[in-house]
Amino acid sequence: MNKKFDVQIYYSGFSTHIIEAENEEEAILKARSRKIKLDEISSNLESWKEADDAEIIDG
């Protein structure tokens, strides 16, 4: 009998921003508040097999 699983597949990716700031910490905080560039993220996704997870939900 087959079991039902909730599976999460993870990927790495990034969104690049050009930021003016006093230091690296400020630049990172400013970039985190900007809109994510989904087209850039989808073009640089890589499988992160070590992070994939499955949890049994039925059976």
Side-chain angles (χ1 to χ4, degrees):
M1 181 172 162
N2 287 337
K3 299 175 183 173
K4 192 180 288 186
F5 292 86
D6 182 11
V7 180
Q8 295 178 345
I9 305 296
Y10 289 87
Y11 299 92
S12 67
F14 57 85
S15 180
T16 304
H17 303 276
I18 304 301
I19 303 291
E20 289 187 23
E22 295 283 327
N23 53 52
E24 287 183 32
E25 184 179 351
E26 181 183 354
I28 290 169
L29 291 173
K30 284 184 175 183
R32 285 178 179 162
S33 69
R34 291 220 176 153
K35 186 176 179 181
I36 294 173
K37 300 176 186 177
L38 294 177
D39 57 333
E40 181 179 8
I41 289 175
S42 63
S43 70
N44 66 52
L45 285 178
E46 292 185 29
S47 180
W48 186 17
K49 293 179 181 178
E50 297 83 8
D52 293 349
D53 185 43
E55 180 180 326
I56 192 166
I57 57 174
D58 181 30

